[in-house]
């Protein structure tokens, strides 16, 4: 069984982002980019299934600018077998990404597609669900546990107030939550091997997908900064201040 | 032929990936251990260290400089520099990269030894991260060993008898074995030095700690009628330095890289402080005096890093990188010292408390301008290269 994993190139999670002065978006010049952390978890999960002998091949797909090849290379260094890069310089919306992934699914016929539940840049949390709708496959989102039972995919989901376990009839779509696993470090030998693994380059046109945005970003602004608080010396003073503020 | 200017001045993709991996390992796994240790710790306790080492082994980063065939990572000099720079970014990083996660390399000269010497000494040392030492310097000096070495090795049958003492020897206490340079020929003759492997089973070796500015203290090692079997001679008699030279040159680039890593980590702390600390109605970061310190530090660190990379790259190509190594060593260690000094100034009183690693790094970086050849000796090497002059020889008839 093949597993398809979607990996997105995003601003590194440790970087404090800056908004462009013209408010047209986030400034990406000279900013460190990395693989979306939820996607790393997706790659890790796919690799574990392959290591258990439950999958035969892990394919990493990224859709984005030419530099997204680096993100695929990271997945290959972790252990994925090959990559597909769909090059596009247009800002891609979840529906466009889902349509491209659907075309790749049709071509590759994986038994499982694993995606991050969301990307940390736009926090859309839509691509996995849209892909499930387009393929007509069952979906297990926000997975904190994933097991394969024959052709069934058992997913424990992190939902409000607890855990929900669902059994999906494969092929299926799974999106990862934080607690699913702890992604490995790419080992030095695998980093060296990654260089030789193939990355297939495509364009959205090749899949017949129109990626023209359907949304228009009006402006992007920084969150308003918090006002500094005050320090109080005693409980009496605290109660006094709270009364002053009219909250008690 | 078309010249492609792109890709010439950056690390290859796999080294960037390795760099990111190590940086992440430092920020997550190593930091968790580092945060639990005292300010001047020189090792991590076993229960914290072993999980780190297991992860490092999985990453293929064990004994970075040692060849793969003997159980090491077999990294190129440039790769060692890249890893060492990141691995220095913890409290004990100046002398114990990544809290010891990557094991320990035995003195690299052992790899010029015989198959038997490598099997008996190098391979177990790599496997078990044995403590080992490398002893050249003596109370009479370290930079000019041809003149200074007085420790004698007298041949008696199938063994050599060692007498004398070595100074400033790190990791001597509790070491499994070490490399010792001793005189088998006439005093003052560079050709009269031989190299030996001594181990802890040999009688007559004593160590005495030399307390210094850093927590990881060096030792004086004294040899009293130590019997060393002839098969423990490394290389040929009288050619002790020829086993060492090229390998020792290649040590200087990672040495430089480590100091750059520490200074960069200090600069990050200072930048963070400057952005948050308010005085006289504005942030430190808004004051030009502070801005210039930060800008100068970044500029100088970038220059030192490129010199270090260039020297490492040249050594990896198999060229003679002696001059380049000297230049990188001086530039990096002196830059790092300056940067630390500025960072402490930016933090003020906080800079010298034990809350922050800065004062520890400051002390340790001071030694880096002396260890692995002091700045002046490296400047002398560069000057001799440029001026075409060696030391002036006394006239024969004088």
């Amino acid at each position: 069984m093949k597993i398809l994993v979607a990996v997105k190139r995003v601003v590194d999670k440790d970087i404090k982002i800056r908004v462009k002065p013209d408010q047209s978006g986030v400034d990406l010049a000279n900013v460190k980019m990395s693989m979306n952390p939820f996607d790393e978890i997706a790659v890790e999960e796919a690799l574990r299934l392959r290591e258990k002998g439950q999958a035969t091949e892990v394919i990493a797909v990224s859709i984005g600018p030419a530099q997204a090849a680096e993100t695929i290379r990271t997945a290959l260094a972790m252990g994925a077998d090959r990559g597909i890069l769909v090059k596009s310089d247009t800002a891609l919306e979840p529906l466009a990404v889902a349509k491209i992934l659907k075309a790749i699914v049709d071509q590759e016929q994986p038994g499982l597609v694993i995606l991050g539940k969301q990307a940390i840049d736009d926090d859309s949390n839509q691509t996995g669900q849209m892909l499930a709708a387009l393929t007509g496959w069952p979906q297990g989102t926000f997975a904190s546990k994933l097991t394969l039972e024959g052709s069934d995919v058992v997913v424990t989901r992190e939902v409000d107030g607890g855990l929900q376990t669902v059994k999906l009839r494969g092929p299926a779509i799974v999106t990862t939550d934080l607690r699913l696993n702890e992604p490995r470090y790419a080992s030095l030998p695998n980093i060296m091997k990654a260089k030789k693994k193939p990355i297939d380059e495509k364009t959205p046109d090749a899949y017949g997908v129109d990626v023209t945005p359907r949304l228009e970003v009006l402006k992007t602004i920084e969150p308003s900064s918090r006002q500094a608080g005050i320090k109080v010396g005693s409980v009496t003073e605290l109660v006094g201040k709270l009364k002053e503020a009219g909250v008690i | 032929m078309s010249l492609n200017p792109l890709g010439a001045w950056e690390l290859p993709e796999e080294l960037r990936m390795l760099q990111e991996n190590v940086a992440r390992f430092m920020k997550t796994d190593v930091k968790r251990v580092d945060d639990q240790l005292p300010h001047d710790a020189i090792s991590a306790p076993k229960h914290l260290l072993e999980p780190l080492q297991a992860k490092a082994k999985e990453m293929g980063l064990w004994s970075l400089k040692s060849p793969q065939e003997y159980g090491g990572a077999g990294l190129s000099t440039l790769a060692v520099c890249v890893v060492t720079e990141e691995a220095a970014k913890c409290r004990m990083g100046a002398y114990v990269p990544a809290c010891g996660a990557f094991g320990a390399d035995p003195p690299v000269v052992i790899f010029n030894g015989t198959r038997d010497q490598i099997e008996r000494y190098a391979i177990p040392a790599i496997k078990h991260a044995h403590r080992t030492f490398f002893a050249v310097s003596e109370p009479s000096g370290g930079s000019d060993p041809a003149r200074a070495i007085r420790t004698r090795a007298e041949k008696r049958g199938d063994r050599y008898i060692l007498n004398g003492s070595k100074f400033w020897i790190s990791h001597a206490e509790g070491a499994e074995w070490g490399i010792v340079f001793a005189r088998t020929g006439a005093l003052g003759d560079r050709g009269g030095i031989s190299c030996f492997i001594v181990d802890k089973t040999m009688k007559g070796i004593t160590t005495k700690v030399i307390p210094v500015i850093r927590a990881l203290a060096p030792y004086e090692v004294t040899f009293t009628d130590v019997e060393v079997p002839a098969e423990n001679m490394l290389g040929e008699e009288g050619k002790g330095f020829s086993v060492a030279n090229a390998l020792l040159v290649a040590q200087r680039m990672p040495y430089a890289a480590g100091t750059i890593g520490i200074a960069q980590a200090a600069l990050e702390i200072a930048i963070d402080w400057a952005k948050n600390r308010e005085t006289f109605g504005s942030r430190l970061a808004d004051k030009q005096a502070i801005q210039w310190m930060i800008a100068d530090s970044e500029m100088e660190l970038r220059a030192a890093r490129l010199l270090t990379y260039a020297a490492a790259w040249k050594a990896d190509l198999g060229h003679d990188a002696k001059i380049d190594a000297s230049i990188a060593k001086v530039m990096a260690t002196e830059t790092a010292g300056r940067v630390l000094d500025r960072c402490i100034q930016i933090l003020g009183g906080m800079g010298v408390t034990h809350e922050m690693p800065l004062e520890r790094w400051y002390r340790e970086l001071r030694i880096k301008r002396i260890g692995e050849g002091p700045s002046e000796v490296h400047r002398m090497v560069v000057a001799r290269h440029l001026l075409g002059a060696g030391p002036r020889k006394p006239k024969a008839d004088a």
Side-chain angles (χ1 to χ4, degrees):
Chain A
M1 179 185 78
K2 286 185 200 172
I3 301 179
L4 194 69
V5 181
V7 295
K8 185 177 185 183
R9 180 175 182 266
V10 298
V11 175
D12 187 85
K13 67 175 171 37
D14 292 329
I15 300 286
K16 204 172 165 201
I17 57 161
R18 268 188 267 211
V19 171
K20 285 189 205 166
D22 67 359
Q23 299 190 336
S24 62
V26 171
D27 193 354
L28 297 182
N30 285 316
V31 171
K32 185 173 178 252
M33 307 292 281
S34 300
M35 188 192 297
N36 177 37
F38 291 106
D39 300 347
E40 281 186 0
I41 295 171
V43 174
E44 177 65 34
E45 199 62 20
L47 295 177
R48 289 185 189 187
L49 291 171
R50 192 193 63 195
E51 282 159 6
K52 274 192 250 171
Q54 293 181 310
T56 50
E57 191 182 30
V58 175
I59 309 162
V61 184
S62 193
I63 307 167
Q67 298 93 318
E70 289 172 21
T71 310
I72 294 178
R73 201 68 74 187
T74 305
L76 298 179
M78 286 173 75
D81 298 287
R82 62 186 167 98
I84 301 173
L85 169 65
V86 184
K87 268 203 243 177
S88 167
D89 289 322
T90 315
L92 294 169
E93 292 172 1
L95 184 58
V97 174
K99 283 180 177 171
I100 294 171
L101 289 176
K102 160 74 163 67
I104 296 173
V105 164
D106 288 344
Q107 219 166 60
E108 297 285 348
Q109 297 290 320
L112 186 63
V113 184
I114 313 181
L115 310 88
K117 71 169 179 178
Q118 65 195 62
I120 60 166
D121 50 3
D122 59 14
D123 278 344
S124 291
N125 189 347
Q126 295 170 8
T127 307
Q129 294 86 331
M130 286 177 170
L131 179 61
L134 292 172
T135 51
W137 291 1
Q139 58 181 307
T141 51
F142 315 124
S144 64
K145 196 172 172 218
L146 191 167
T147 43
L148 297 184
E149 293 175 2
S151 63
D152 291 339
V153 183
V154 181
V155 174
T156 302
R157 308 180 59 231
E158 299 205 351
V159 294
D160 285 348
L163 298 174
Q164 180 193 49
T165 302
V166 294
K167 187 186 265 189
L168 318 172
R169 198 149 304 142
I173 312 287
V174 172
T175 73
T176 63
D177 215 321
L178 269 187
R179 278 156 291 270
L180 181 58
N181 60 49
E182 196 185 324
R184 70 193 63 191
Y185 292 104
S187 72
L188 185 62
N190 276 339
I191 289 176
M192 304 307 288
K193 273 186 223 151
K195 229 178 144 180
K196 298 192 188 93
K197 291 179 182 172
I199 298 180
D200 218 4
E201 285 195 14
K202 303 275 186 177
T203 59
D205 285 347
Y207 294 110
V209 176
D210 177 11
V211 296
T212 314
R214 293 155 177 256
L215 303 171
E216 186 190 345
V217 176
L218 300 178
K219 65 175 175 178
T220 306
I221 54 167
E222 305 247 4
S224 53
S225 58
R226 279 176 59 196
Q227 295 292 314
I230 51 158
K231 277 187 182 168
V232 292
S234 67
V235 175
T236 327
E237 196 188 339
L238 173 65
V239 172
K241 290 281 179 198
L242 290 174
K243 277 186 180 154
E244 236 173 74
V247 289
I248 54 169
Chain B
M1 190 184 84
S2 68
L3 282 175
N4 178 6
L6 296 174
W9 294 106
E10 60 178 16
L11 292 173
E13 196 180 3
E14 58 267 33
L15 282 190
R16 272 186 286 139
M17 230 183 248
L18 181 64
Q19 184 177 40
E20 266 183 37
N21 253 356
V22 176
R24 191 156 130 190
F25 180 61
M26 294 301 295
K27 273 187 200 150
T28 52
D29 300 79
V30 175
K31 187 173 186 305
R32 272 199 289 267
V33 170
D34 197 34
D35 284 349
Q36 300 176 53
L37 304 178
H39 181 64
D40 258 333
I42 52 170
S43 63
K46 212 173 162 193
H47 71 280
L48 295 175
L49 180 58
E50 279 177 351
L52 277 188
Q53 292 184 329
K55 257 196 182 158
K57 281 180 185 165
E58 272 174 32
M59 290 165 81
L61 294 176
W62 185 256
S63 293
L64 306 178
K65 299 172 194 167
S66 301
Q68 267 176 335
E69 55 180 316
Y70 308 138
L75 297 187
S76 65
T77 309
L78 183 55
V80 174
C81 287
V82 166
V83 175
T84 309
E85 181 177 339
E86 294 309 319
K89 296 175 178 174
C90 57
R91 272 181 199 260
M92 66 176 85
Y95 286 94
V96 191
C99 293
F102 302 137
D105 284 293
V108 286
V109 296
I110 189 77
F111 302 123
N112 276 350
T114 61
R115 184 73 217 179
D116 168 65
Q117 290 168 340
I118 289 170
E119 274 172 12
R120 276 193 298 139
Y121 291 106
I123 292 173
I126 294 166
K127 189 171 180 197
H128 306 293
H130 280 158
R131 196 174 292 180
T132 51
F133 66 85
F134 184 71
V136 178
S137 300
E138 300 201 0
S140 51
S143 295
D144 180 12
R147 181 193 57 77
I149 289 180
R150 310 226 157 151
T151 297
R152 291 210 60 89
E154 305 276 356
K155 186 150 193 196
R156 238 178 260 162
D158 60 351
R159 43 200 56 218
Y160 285 84
I161 311 298
L162 254 62
N163 275 293
S165 75
K166 295 285 174 183
F167 224 65
W168 313 122
I169 311 305
S170 299
H171 314 293
E173 176 82 39
E176 292 290 317
W177 55 270
I179 301 280
V180 179
F181 288 75
R183 190 167 294 281
T184 42
L187 202 65
D189 176 15
R190 197 175 167 83
I193 306 290
S194 304
C195 182
F196 299 91
I197 307 164
V198 301
D199 68 47
K200 65 175 187 184
T201 65
M202 296 174 188
K203 291 196 174 67
I205 307 175
T206 53
T207 57
K208 191 177 149 203
V209 69
I210 310 167
V212 290
I213 193 171
R214 71 174 198 215
L216 185 73
Y219 293 85
E220 177 177 11
V221 186
T222 305
F223 304 93
T224 314
D225 294 328
V226 177
E227 291 187 22
V228 184
E231 67 258 27
N232 274 29
M233 180 182 275
L234 201 59
E236 293 170 44
E237 180 169 312
K239 293 194 176 163
F241 286 121
S242 63
V243 297
N245 278 346
L247 289 170
L248 291 187
V249 164
Q251 301 289 295
R252 293 182 189 133
M253 290 71 128
Y255 193 88
T259 64
I260 295 168
I262 287 175
Q264 196 75 52
L267 185 59
E268 274 170 35
I269 293 173
I271 289 172
D272 193 47
W273 181 266
K275 281 159 87 173
N276 290 301
R277 179 74 168 177
E278 289 210 7
T279 53
F280 301 102
S282 68
R283 301 179 311 160
L284 283 182
D286 298 325
K287 298 178 203 309
Q288 196 182 47
I290 304 297
Q291 290 172 357
W292 286 27
M293 284 194 222
I294 287 171
D296 284 346
S297 298
E298 176 71 16
M299 282 153 49
E300 292 167 21
L301 281 173
R302 286 193 188 197
R305 183 180 296 111
L306 281 177
L307 283 169
T308 305
Y309 283 176
W313 176 69
K314 198 167 167 185
D316 285 336
L317 290 178
H319 300 317
D320 179 1
K322 189 178 176 196
I323 307 302
D324 311 73
S326 286
I327 292 173
K329 196 273 175 183
V330 174
M331 284 297 286
T333 53
E334 294 190 354
T335 297
R338 251 187 338 268
V339 170
L340 246 294
D341 190 73
R342 287 188 196 120
C343 292
I344 287 178
Q345 197 67 16
I346 292 170
L347 266 83
M350 273 309 283
V352 291
T353 65
H354 288 197
E355 292 293 307
M356 298 275 176
L358 298 181
E359 78 84 33
R360 175 178 181 169
W361 290 342
Y362 182 73
R363 283 184 279 125
E364 293 179 319
L365 284 181
R366 184 63 191 83
I367 316 175
K368 298 279 185 180
R369 282 154 53 198
I370 302 169
E372 204 66 42
S375 294
E376 293 67 30
V377 171
H378 288 294
R379 283 194 168 86
M380 188 177 78
V381 168
V382 177
R384 279 182 185 171
H385 168 71
L386 295 173
L387 299 168
R392 198 183 294 169
K393 293 199 176 73
K395 281 181 189 149
D397 57 347

